[in-house]
Amino acid sequence: MDVRERMPLVNSYIDKWAKTRPDSVAMVQHEDGREVTYKKFRSLIDFFALKLLDMGIQKGDRVATQLVLLPEHMALMYACFKIGAMTAPLDVRLSENEVVRDINKIDALAFFFLGETPVRDFRMVGKAVLKDCPSVKHLVQFTPGPKPGDIIEGAVSITDLMNKGRLVWLKVRDVFSGTLKKAYQQVDKRTPALIIYTTGTTGEPKPAVLCHENIIVQNQILERGIDFKGDKRDFSVLVNLPPSHVGCVTETFMTTMFIGGKAVLLRIFDTKATLEAIERHKVKVIGQIPTMFRMLWDFSEYETYDLSSLEFVAYAGSAVDTTFLKKLSTMAPRFGTGIGMTENAGFATFTPADISIEEMAGQVGQAFPDLAQVSVRRPMEADGSAGAELADGEIGEICYHPPIVFLGYYNQPEETQKAVSTEGILYTGDLGYFKHMDGYKALYLSGRKKFVIKQKGYNVFPGEVEEHIARMEGVDVVEVVGMKHRLFDEGIFAFVRPLAGVPLTGEAVMEHCKAIASYKRPQHIEIWPSDQALPLTRSTKVDKLKLMELAGPIVERLRNEGRWDASHGV
């Protein structure tokens, strides 16, 4: 599919497949085997859209969710898209305070959340939102068939919200009023659709706003990268990443819907369930972060599963070595990677098909200029214009060009101006260079401009972790760095200096960190002597590089003791 054939909306592709292949399976829930055809998916989207309109949600409104991967969750997202509302999926591991913080940043009008589950009672989140998020007028609890007392006060159950009698009445009314059709006609390719939170230089997540065009162009890039040769109806992808990630929604799920294939959903990532799903559903394609692949390979029963259906595996999120690639090559005959970020809806580049492991190591693929240009440039100028483009081989900041540049951070114009030049070019914060290869130009990643820690596929900014620990009584100074971790790519290592005379322990700090999302929690706390200063640079800033140097021997000792590279607390 070339640029001229690109349809305007994410929903356009659901409409297309529902019309031309209504009985083809769009998705299957692995845990219960429930299948949803494209015809059923479009119907479910329309019912959700009608209900959202009935609730008073209109174009431009924000709808937040804290849900696992479910067909209904995906239908709700597409329903928001259809009426021009924005959906903001939040990570299920966020604490009550973190959810409240993120919802208040976008003034969401509605919040859909889980109820009591075996691992957590999400009703506590709902209560916190009810209490501290004044913009939220609708709370919907995903507890099917609730018993008395299951639903918190102030919320409605998903069962009651989607009451069949009410939905039928709304559908009949819409036949005469055409309300949904009118709302849909007001949506275009640049309409804000999806908000994904990304970690920024302030240390707090920023709400990145993506439009339909951003998502669809990313789908095209990934389609080219995978280069599936068979019948599109046989194209199947395992979706086991969290819905709060572009890796889940825009990359794996929405690219599958764009192609017209089948998405196999896992409610939440689990090593054994992932392997079972590949085997049972004969999955053709899987995309994960390196940490997840290592967890599969480390699983004691890995070799007992039949993964022969896999035709392509993709990895992204962090650099890997040839040892990793050689292991990856045993999973499928074809594999590849690319680079991108939340602010461009996912992939901006992808590796060519059938290149060697040695050629793939170190690079992050080629750009597709007919879809979206990628350049390497000098820093942004003081007036906000883009710096000069550099020659191939010169290291500079990797930049993305429209139409894969996001619309901006919601209600944060100053932060947006720091990221996007006046010409609309997105500065990524990654450093790299282009190198001519045999028949194409490969992008190589040199390093990160800022000290973001890449753990478990998440961007963890040290400042956010430092700020949380610093709130603890008896803490004087906190500095966090990322250290090489065999399973998680980088582990979080925290230096904590207590106030003089305070008997602070690493265990106490770890306990305090249970109040933040698990992927932000340090793997190790090193108590710094209260009477000693932390190392400083010439500009009197704490020397992060020196701290990483000091952490090295400690990490090595912990590794030898089996206390660093373990997967506890995943």
Side-chain angles (χ1 to χ4, degrees), residues 338-349:
I339 192 173
M341 61 195 303
T342 301
E343 289 90 337
N344 76 282
F347 285 100
T349 67

Side-chain angles (χ1 to χ4, degrees), residues 352 358-359 361-367 376 391-395 432-445:
E358 290 70 26
E359 188 173 333
Q363 67 157 281
V364 288
Q366 63 181 332
V376 175
D392 295 339
E394 288 190 62
I395 296 175
Y433 61 93
F434 277 110
K435 179 182 178 181
H436 281 277
M437 311 296 281
D438 185 16
Y440 71 100
K441 197 164 68 171
L443 181 63
Y444 281 77
L445 190 63

Side-chain angles (χ1 to χ4, degrees), residues 460-493:
V460 180
F461 195 79
E464 189 177 5
V465 184
E466 290 163 357
E467 182 180 355
H468 177 75
I469 297 175
R471 296 194 194 108
M472 188 177 178
E473 188 173 346
V475 170
D476 183 19
V477 177
V478 186
E479 290 294 330
V480 169
V481 296
M483 299 298 293
K484 182 69 177 176
H485 193 287
R486 189 184 66 82
L487 196 60
F488 301 149
D489 295 308
E490 287 185 291
I492 300 174
F493 190 110

Side-chain angles (χ1 to χ4, degrees), residues 190-222:
R190 301 297 292 175
T191 299
L194 180 64
I195 296 176
I196 298 289
Y197 283 82
T198 181
T199 303
T201 54
T202 61
E204 278 200 0
K206 296 194 290 285
V209 182
L210 300 168
C211 69
H212 289 257
E213 186 177 36
N214 298 151
I215 297 168
I216 293 169
V217 175
Q218 190 283 151
N219 297 155
Q220 290 182 292
I221 291 170
L222 190 50

Side-chain angles (χ1 to χ4, degrees), residues 118-305:
V119 295
R120 181 181 178 186
D121 189 353
F122 287 91
R123 295 178 300 178
M124 298 301 102
V125 180
K127 290 178 180 179
V129 170
L130 182 65
K131 176 176 176 289
D132 296 323
C133 296
S135 67
V136 175
K137 308 303 179 187
H138 305 279
L139 284 100
V140 181
Q141 185 175 317
F142 261 65
T143 302
K147 301 180 181 65
D150 283 349
I151 306 300
I152 66 168
E153 185 177 351
V156 61
S157 74
I158 187 64
T159 303
D160 289 342
L161 183 81
M162 303 301 283
N163 176 273
K164 288 184 179 179
R166 177 68 176 173
L167 290 177
V168 169
W169 183 85
L170 289 173
K171 187 71 174 178
V172 171
R173 186 180 71 171
D174 189 64
V175 170
F176 296 98
S177 67
T179 303
L180 180 55
K181 183 178 180 180
K182 292 173 185 175
Y184 197 18
Q185 289 174 337
Q186 297 303 308
V187 181
D188 61 40
K189 67 181 183 179
R190 301 297 292 175
T191 299
L194 180 64
I195 296 176
I196 298 289
Y197 283 82
T198 181
T199 303
T201 54
T202 61
E204 278 200 0
K206 296 194 290 285
V209 182
L210 300 168
C211 69
H212 289 257
E213 186 177 36
N214 298 151
I215 297 168
I216 293 169
V217 175
Q218 190 283 151
N219 297 155
Q220 290 182 292
I221 291 170
L222 190 50
E223 180 189 37
R224 286 194 188 177
I226 296 172
D227 193 25
F228 186 75
K229 300 296 186 183
D231 188 325
K232 302 301 184 188
R233 287 173 290 190
D234 294 331
F235 181 83
S236 58
V237 176
L238 179 64
V239 187
N240 62 352
L241 293 158
S244 55
H245 260 216
V246 288
C248 171
V249 287
T250 62
E251 293 175 15
T252 50
F253 185 82
M254 292 180 185
T255 299
T256 306
M257 298 298 102
F258 169 85
I259 291 172
K262 178 175 70 175
V264 178
L265 310 183
L266 283 188
R267 292 189 181 119
I268 197 164
F269 174 73
D270 176 81
T271 304
K272 185 175 183 180
T274 293
L275 295 168
E276 288 176 343
I278 296 171
E279 181 179 76
R280 183 183 307 167
H281 304 285
K282 301 189 185 308
V283 170
K284 298 289 180 68
V285 178
I286 182 172
Q288 299 185 142
I289 60 173
T291 292
M292 296 166 74
F293 281 112
R294 294 185 186 107
M295 292 173 71
L296 295 184
W297 301 335
D298 285 351
F299 183 56
S300 60
E301 300 173 24
Y302 172 74
E303 298 293 344
T304 67
Y305 288 91

